[in-house]
Amino acid sequence: MKRILLSLLIISFTPHLIYAQVGFGDAQLFNDNWEFVLNESPTLPPSTAEWKKVDVPHDWSIEGTPSRDLASCTGYLPGGIGWYRKTFTVSDSKPKHYIYFEGVYNRSEVYLNGHLLGKRPNGYVSFMYDLTPYLKAGTNELSVRVDHSRYADSRWYTGSGIYRNVWFISAKETHLAQWGVSYEAKNVTAKSTNIHVSVEVEKGNRNLKDLSVKASLIDAQGKNVNSKLSTFNSQLSTLNFQLSISNPHLYTLHVDLLADGKVIDQTDTRVGIRSLQFDPNHGFALNGEWMKVKGVCIHHDAGVLGAAVPREVWQRRFLSLKEMGVNAIRMSHNMQAPDVYDLADEMGFLIMDEGSDEWEYPKRKWLKGWNQGTPGYDGTYDFFEEWIDRDIADMVRRDRNHPSVFLWSVGNEVDYPNDPYSHPILDGDNAGINQPMYGGYKKDAPRAERIGTIAKRLATIIRNIDPSRPVTGAMAGVVMSNQTEYPEAVDICGYNYTENRYVEDHKAYPKRIIYGSETSTNLAAWKAVRDNPHIFGHFVWTGYEYLGESGAWPSRGLGTGLIDFAGFLKPRGHFFASLWRTDPVAYIGTQAIRGGNNQWGGNNRGNRNGRVNLSTDAWDNWNYQNGQTIRVLCYTNQPYAHLLLNGREVGEKKERDDNTGIIYWDVPYEVGTLRVEGLDKSGQAITHYEIRTHGEAKSISALEIINSKSSNCKCLHLLINIVDAQGIRVLDYRKDVKCEVISGGKLLGLENANNSDMSAPKQNHKNANRGQLLAYILRTNPSAPAKVRITAEGLDPIEVNI
């Protein structure tokens, strides 16, 4: 029986500390006072009026206007070639200086004073260059060329530019190496743990016999509970040693690099211990407790913000995931911003970190709508062979100290049948393959056996760097991959949309550990996890709405999210909360099923062939025509529910149907308050949800929905509602709303969560959607309030001090 038992360090980071990312030197954010120009020149363009001042993170694609002539895979937004430049002087006396980019999309070239420092084609990896050889006294100029001219190079929106943080790092000549400190916990018990520490040093001219490392574990009271001093010999630049602790609680691991007994570099990390266990029959255990992974897949954009997403936006989105009962996140299909991993550590999510979506051949990219028309074939495949080993290694080295990471993925859907690889198994209806869906075996296509070869190569790279976590892959064509070495190359097999093979493949491959690496937003996908002990969990596509993979114009994205572009749970998000949360929850949405018009987002579909339509996309609206028959759908995790209208029961107590996950009633509409109550086994009401009839729009309401009192909070969230005389949101208000920041900040974006709104993302006015918009405001002075003016068609304007 194949069983994987691992121990993993828990590390809690202080937000925004660069040592958690790079691990050496003194670092300063290098985000302010850049200049930018869209220009295809192969050399730095001269100064003209076209250059504009920007701060990074910066995504120039989201500043464009969607066009039906652009590619649907990008959300109909443009790419291009852009240049960034920044002048600076060096004031500190340290001999070494570096520039560290968290991510630049893509095909970047970085220059200092005209000297090429390096190229990095991958747009998601973090990378660093040594500035020292080309620095000069006085003013220096750093410039970056970003080539996203092949803008439809991904199946989803990527953004363009320096869209993550930049850091300037100063260090001694000899210092701790980039991502050079790592940890592994072994022999974990309730009473003791051995922590294996590895420290790598970047050599200078100093003789290594003078170098030593001191590592100390400090408890929560500041007491040193264990220390070790180790000395480098002249041949080695890496030290490996062990620290033991008797009580596995939270600690700070302090590492000093010493030369001649004096500290020349150091780093701190909060440390704790947990264990991971994977088993082909029992699934997954965290700290010895068997559990189900309730995961979602995410992309890296945030609607109108594009790919330049502030930390506070991720924080609020993660809170929405918590609201749904999510405990795991899949980084699809690439490395994400360091802030995302820090928040996952702090908020208690498990992370599946993923390396790529495309290998040595291009995948189809849809240009006129998802799965419509003739695809394009631009991509990242052209630099795969040269860079993938380093890209995968850098992913693991950068992220290995995050306790949230519990799986490394070599790639996503690289085995999708005939896109591009093929195999004779695709001919006919072999082993359950639906031949017409894939078009049969294509003799001229690359052979699928290559997938296994590449997977073995990438898995070996990962294991050589981090043996403490298993390697996986998200397989879209499991039947085809079963004919290759791919399933054996990884430790755990992810199945994309192949729940029908969970039981069959468990019997055929009893040592294989299986989970759903990507699944639909339906009950059947979850029940395939819930009801099969050997399936440890799944990742639903998707957690949030995302840009790209769009349908035919007008469409910003695919529309399958559980959470909308503005970060609010959609009805299907509430449905999954009823499946995943353990505390009592209830929700009601409505549909008109007999006559009338439902213009507030419900479905007008009734019965088909005698079958009752029970949608998981029913919005919480209560505005219809008097006497109209309305279907009320309840999503709850309680065994029973009943329905009250204006205080009287109109929907009798009903039992939750496990076949649908839904309770429903058909009731005549009446103005007022509709309330569902979730009932426990004894019939006691222990949770409820209410919806109310709204009147005509009377005023604008604005509410700050993220705590801005902290001086670290840079991005404010202002929720704008159009309300009636009773303060109820007016769901049919869809007129233009304008948001102007008068002082204290600037508007980053105005989000209405409408997937079909193809207006320019960065404009300061949008049509309301269901009577609501969300304003993202970047404040310029954390200690001063921001003043905002909001106007809406037909209503009195308001001014808000945040």
Side-chain angles (χ1 to χ4, degrees):
M1 177 184 294
K2 181 178 181 181
R3 174 174 286 192
I4 303 173
L5 180 61
L6 303 168
S7 300
L8 181 65
L9 241 56
I10 294 178
I11 305 163
S12 177
F13 295 116
T14 302
H16 303 301
L17 291 184
I18 189 62
Y19 61 69
Q21 301 170 32
V22 181
F24 76 96
D26 298 322
Q28 299 292 327
L29 273 174
F30 207 60
N31 288 346
D32 299 337
N33 301 315
W34 289 77
E35 292 182 291
F36 169 75
V37 66
L38 274 175
N39 192 301
E40 296 184 1
S41 172
T43 58
L44 184 67
S47 296
T48 66
E50 294 179 351
W51 284 89
K52 65 176 183 178
K53 292 187 179 299
V54 299
D55 294 331
V56 301
H58 174 251
D59 173 6
W60 81 68
S61 287
I62 204 67
E63 295 177 344
T65 300
S67 168
R68 66 172 68 242
D69 296 326
L70 296 172
S72 60
C73 59
T74 71
Y76 300 96
L77 284 162
I81 298 175
W83 278 91
Y84 294 85
R85 68 182 182 188
K86 177 173 178 170
T87 57
F88 65 98
T89 58
V90 179
S91 57
D92 66 75
S93 60
K94 290 187 173 65
K96 299 287 288 187
H97 299 89
Y98 301 86
I99 194 74
Y100 177 83
F101 294 88
E102 291 183 3
V104 182
Y105 204 91
N106 64 346
R107 302 176 189 270
S108 64
E109 302 171 4
V110 180
Y111 299 84
L112 177 62
N113 298 323
H115 299 277
L116 176 65
L117 301 179
K119 302 180 180 182
R120 199 62 185 260
N122 189 313
Y124 297 110
V125 299
S126 300
F127 58 94
M128 184 178 74
Y129 296 123
D130 186 355
L131 301 175
T132 312
Y134 304 111
L135 280 173
K136 60 185 182 182
T139 301
N140 293 270
E141 183 176 64
L142 187 73
S143 56
V144 183
R145 187 178 191 266
V146 185
D147 183 355
H148 198 198
S149 55
R150 286 164 279 193
Y151 77 104
D153 61 350
S154 172
R155 297 190 293 157
W156 60 90
Y157 178 84
T158 63
S160 303
I162 306 176
Y163 68 101
R164 295 181 188 162
N165 290 323
V166 183
W167 299 84
F168 185 87
I169 303 165
S170 302
K172 297 289 182 66
E173 186 174 351
T174 297
H175 53 79
L176 297 169
Q178 178 188 10
W179 307 323
V181 176
S182 63
Y183 319 82
E184 183 179 353
K186 294 185 177 181
N187 304 318
V188 178
T189 71
K191 295 182 177 180
S192 66
T193 298
N194 295 327
I195 299 178
H196 291 232
V197 181
S198 178
V199 179
E200 181 183 351
V201 170
E202 185 71 26
K203 300 177 183 179
N205 294 325
R206 181 180 294 275
N207 190 327
L208 281 179
K209 68 181 181 180
D210 300 322
L211 288 177
S212 59
V213 166
K214 182 180 180 181
S216 304
L217 282 170
I218 314 298
D219 67 14
Q221 289 71 44
K223 179 182 177 182
N224 187 338
V225 297
N226 200 348
S227 294
K228 183 154 189 175
L229 181 67
S230 300
T231 302
F232 285 93
N233 64 35
S234 58
Q235 280 75 41
L236 298 179
S237 59
T238 301
L239 279 177
N240 298 290
F241 50 90
Q242 177 178 298
L243 293 170
S244 297
I245 52 176
S246 58
N247 295 304
H249 299 296
L250 290 176
Y251 297 90
T252 297
L253 177 65
H254 180 83
V255 175
D256 285 326
L257 177 65
L258 302 99
D260 298 327
K262 296 180 180 179
V263 176
I264 60 173
D265 204 357
Q266 60 183 237
T267 184
D268 286 307
T269 307
R270 289 294 300 270
V271 174
I273 293 92
R274 74 176 178 193
S275 65
L276 307 172
Q277 187 174 352
F278 298 86
D279 182 273
N281 295 316
H282 299 98
F284 168 67
L286 177 65
N287 294 331
E289 295 186 13
W290 299 99
M291 60 175 285
K292 294 294 187 181
V293 168
K294 304 168 184 177
V296 296
C297 306
I298 67 170
H299 277 310
H300 75 158
D301 71 274
V304 296
L305 299 179
V309 185
R311 178 187 177 90
E312 292 84 2
V313 176
W314 283 118
Q315 182 181 32
R316 183 170 158 265
R317 287 183 161 214
F318 279 14
L319 289 171
S320 295
L321 294 182
K322 287 285 186 182
E323 185 183 353
M324 262 195 318
V326 172
N327 61 19
I329 301 168
R330 177 185 176 212
M331 304 301 192
S332 40
H333 304 291
N334 45 263
M335 297 140 276
Q336 307 234 4
D339 274 345
V340 180
Y341 300 84
D342 289 347
L343 285 166
D345 292 341
E346 295 165 13
M347 299 175 74
F349 291 100
L350 296 167
I351 294 296
M352 173 179 166
D353 215 1
E354 196 155 65
S356 63
D357 183 60
E358 188 170 87
W359 284 0
E360 59 186 351
Y361 297 100
K363 289 183 177 180
R364 294 186 291 261
K365 283 83 177 182
W366 299 103
L367 307 179
K368 298 300 180 183
W370 185 69
N371 276 354
Q372 297 186 32
T374 303
Y377 288 94
D378 280 340
T380 59
Y381 62 94
D382 58 303
F383 57 78
F384 174 84
E385 187 59 38
E386 180 181 358
W387 285 97
I388 190 59
D389 291 9
R390 182 173 175 183
D391 288 345
I392 288 289
D394 284 355
M395 174 186 77
V396 178
R397 283 175 56 82
R398 191 196 74 170
D399 296 340
R400 62 186 165 177
N401 287 336
H402 286 285
S404 51
V405 176
F406 81 129
L407 289 172
W408 301 114
S409 172
V410 295
N412 171 66
E413 295 188 349
V414 293
D415 63 336
Y416 196 93
N418 291 326
D419 189 18
Y421 297 97
S422 194
H423 191 278
I425 194 73
L426 299 180
D427 267 342
D429 194 20
N430 293 310
I433 278 276
N434 181 1
Q435 182 267 344
M437 179 178 178
Y438 301 114
Y441 173 49
K442 296 185 178 181
K443 297 180 180 179
D444 296 332
R447 283 296 298 261
E449 286 79 1
R450 284 287 298 160
I451 302 170
T453 301
I454 296 172
K456 288 172 63 177
R457 164 183 160 192
L458 300 184
T460 299
I461 293 170
I462 293 172
R463 293 187 188 110
N464 285 341
I465 299 171
D466 177 25
S468 72
R469 299 173 179 91
V471 179
T472 187
M475 301 176 184
V478 176
V479 173
M480 186 175 77
S481 285
N482 283 342
Q483 309 302 310
T484 76
E485 295 179 293
Y486 188 8
E488 285 69 43
V490 296
D491 303 303
I492 297 174
C493 293
Y495 283 33
N496 282 17
Y497 307 102
T498 327
E499 299 91 68
N500 63 315
R501 298 198 64 85
Y502 285 171
V503 174
E504 181 179 350
D505 278 16
H506 180 54
K507 293 178 180 178
Y509 311 99
K511 295 183 179 180
R512 182 177 294 182
I513 301 171
I514 302 171
Y515 70 103
S517 42
E518 187 171 318
T519 65
S520 300
T521 57
N522 57 49
L523 177 61
W526 168 243
K527 291 175 73 174
V529 175
R530 185 196 69 182
D531 299 341
N532 286 299
H534 69 286
I535 304 298
F536 70 74
H538 73 164
F539 293 88
V540 174
W541 192 265
T542 57
Y544 326 117
E545 298 285 33
Y546 61 97
L547 298 174
E549 276 193 301
S550 304
W553 178 279
S555 173
R556 287 201 280 166
L558 188 58
T560 61
L562 303 175
I563 299 171
D564 68 22
F565 281 117
F568 295 104
L569 266 63
K570 295 165 58 179
R572 63 180 61 181
H574 287 283
F575 180 71
F576 267 82
S578 74
L579 302 178
W580 285 350
R581 277 176 58 170
T582 55
D583 58 319
V585 294
Y587 167 91
I588 47 173
T590 63
Q591 301 172 322
I593 63 169
R594 188 181 303 161
N597 236 349
N598 177 9
Q599 57 181 320
W600 297 283
N603 295 322
N604 287 319
R605 294 171 294 178
N607 298 355
R608 293 182 178 178
N609 301 321
R611 297 172 58 189
V612 178
N613 172 36
L614 299 181
S615 173
T616 57
D617 291 320
W619 290 93
D620 52 351
N621 311 303
W622 194 237
N623 275 71
Y624 294 93
Q625 299 172 7
N626 280 332
Q628 187 178 2
T629 301
I630 306 301
R631 177 154 295 153
V632 181
L633 301 108
C634 171
Y635 314 149
T636 183
N637 56 7
Q638 295 308 295
Y640 305 98
H642 70 162
L643 193 65
L644 305 173
L645 177 56
N646 294 325
R648 70 182 191 279
E649 186 175 86
V650 294
E652 71 277 18
K653 173 184 171 182
K654 282 190 176 183
E655 185 176 5
R656 182 181 180 275
D657 183 358
D658 190 56
N659 292 318
T660 63
I662 296 173
I663 302 171
Y664 78 96
W665 305 265
D666 293 341
V667 300
Y669 174 73
E670 176 185 305
V671 172
T673 299
L674 189 67
R675 175 186 175 102
V676 70
E677 292 183 339
L679 313 176
D680 63 15
K681 291 180 180 180
S682 68
Q684 181 74 26
I686 58 173
T687 184
H688 71 274
Y689 193 94
E690 289 186 351
I691 56 179
R692 294 188 290 172
T693 305
H694 65 72
E696 294 182 357
K698 292 296 183 182
S699 61
I700 305 168
S701 170
L703 174 69
E704 185 185 355
I705 58 172
I706 189 168
N707 182 11
S708 63
K709 293 181 175 62
S710 167
S711 62
N712 291 325
C713 180
K714 297 179 180 178
C715 182
L716 308 177
H717 293 55
L718 187 65
L719 181 62
I720 302 168
N721 285 325
I722 307 301
V723 298
D724 67 7
Q726 284 71 47
I728 304 170
R729 179 156 53 101
V730 181
L731 301 178
D732 61 349
Y733 186 92
R734 293 189 174 91
K735 297 178 182 178
D736 191 67
V737 177
K738 186 176 184 180
C739 181
E740 301 171 282
V741 180
I742 299 171
S743 63
K746 68 175 183 179
L747 183 68
L748 288 181
L750 192 59
E751 180 58 74
N752 63 8
N754 181 0
N755 188 48
S756 62
D757 185 344
M758 307 306 288
S759 60
K762 287 296 186 178
Q763 64 188 25
N764 68 353
H765 63 98
K766 296 271 184 182
N767 287 338
N769 179 34
R770 304 185 77 245
Q772 191 172 75
L773 300 102
L774 181 67
Y776 298 107
I777 299 168
L778 183 69
R779 61 180 184 178
T780 53
N781 184 353
S783 62
K787 179 179 284 190
V788 180
R789 177 179 172 85
I790 304 167
T791 58
E793 188 177 334
L795 301 174
D796 292 336
I798 65 169
E799 290 190 358
V800 181
N801 289 312
I802 307 176

